[in-house]
Amino acid sequence: PFHQDFVVAEQEELTEEIAKDKIASLTGTKSHVTTRRSLKMAQPFVRKFLGGVKGETQKLEFVDKDAILDSIADVRNDNSSTSWCVAGFEGGKKLPKLALVASGSGGLHEMADCFKEDQVMFGLLRNKEQYDRSTVVRFYYVQWKGAAVSMAAKGHTGVFSGAVSAIFTPYHDDFLGETVDDLLANARGKIKDL
């Protein structure tokens, strides 16, 4: 029989002090009022990555962040004819940077022409749709992971997916594709009158 079990991955995670603290908690001899707060403050959370990955390699870098943000703002502007913009990764495999690729006013079909099979890209599409007697503007977030992109590259750039989608937020719906036909088929299910 035992009072407490410990699951540890490294020897440093189990010391005599930690064991005594746990046993004192179980037996009621430990004060939970003062020591708990000081214990939390003494051990700040440190994020650990597997496989030698460092925090510096997990930050989203930009070639020209202002150009991307200006292009997104242009798509959102009702007085602008720009209806889409696309950004993609440039640079080496180790430290890819997000850059503005293109923008235009020709809708989804024009936008689809700028996607490349060997790249991971993201875009924002503005589309006017008719519902009953009302014209509604809807925004769509487009994710492109080309069919020729390796699984390793998809995984590496996938780390940045949350940060990239936050740049294009808010949007009404999203769709993705690996080929133009795949992209258009996924869009047909979401965009009215495509």
Side-chain angles (χ1 to χ4, degrees):
F2 55 89
H3 294 282
Q4 177 72 37
D5 62 338
F6 297 89
V7 179
V8 295
E10 298 176 8
Q11 188 174 1
E12 296 85 34
E13 293 179 19
L14 182 61
T15 63
E16 185 175 344
E17 183 180 305
I18 292 172
K20 283 182 179 180
D21 183 59
K22 288 286 188 181
I23 292 171
S25 296
L26 291 172
T27 60
T29 58
K30 176 183 173 185
S31 171
H32 295 284
V33 176
T34 57
T35 57
R36 187 173 185 181
R37 183 177 176 110
S38 63
L39 182 64
K40 278 187 176 181
M41 294 179 81
Q43 299 174 349
F45 174 75
V46 177
R47 184 172 182 183
K48 295 181 183 179
F49 296 100
L50 299 175
V53 175
K54 297 181 174 80
E56 299 83 48
T57 61
Q58 302 304 302
K59 291 191 313 189
L60 181 61
E61 298 286 332
F62 299 90
V63 172
D64 186 357
K65 185 174 184 178
D66 290 336
I68 295 171
L69 294 177
D70 289 345
S71 184
I72 291 170
D74 198 30
V75 171
R76 293 190 184 284
N77 185 351
D78 288 335
N79 297 323
S80 172
S81 64
T82 304
S83 63
W84 61 269
C85 67
V86 172
F89 288 109
E90 287 184 1
K93 292 179 182 177
K94 297 241 181 208
L95 296 171
K97 294 182 177 183
L98 194 66
L100 181 65
V101 174
S103 63
S105 58
L108 180 62
H109 292 284
E110 182 183 75
M111 180 188 203
D113 289 340
C114 78
F115 290 123
K116 298 181 177 122
E117 283 193 9
D118 62 342
Q119 291 189 10
V120 175
M121 303 168 100
F122 308 91
L124 184 68
L125 173 70
R126 177 173 44 129
N127 193 52
K128 290 183 179 178
E129 300 174 7
Q130 190 73 32
Y131 291 96
D132 297 325
R133 294 182 187 169
S134 301
T135 301
V136 178
V137 175
R138 291 180 53 96
F139 296 96
Y140 297 91
Y141 175 57
V142 182
Q143 299 177 62
W144 173 266
K145 294 184 180 182
V149 177
S150 70
M151 291 303 286
K154 286 179 183 179
H156 182 66
T157 56
V159 170
F160 304 112
S161 292
V164 173
S165 69
I167 293 168
F168 290 95
T169 300
Y171 49 86
H172 295 96
D173 210 341
D174 63 341
F175 52 91
L176 55 98
E178 292 186 345
T179 65
V180 172
D181 292 337
D182 185 33
L183 183 77
L184 294 174
N186 289 335
R188 277 187 199 99
K190 299 189 177 194
I191 297 178
K192 187 177 179 183
D193 302 327
L194 181 64

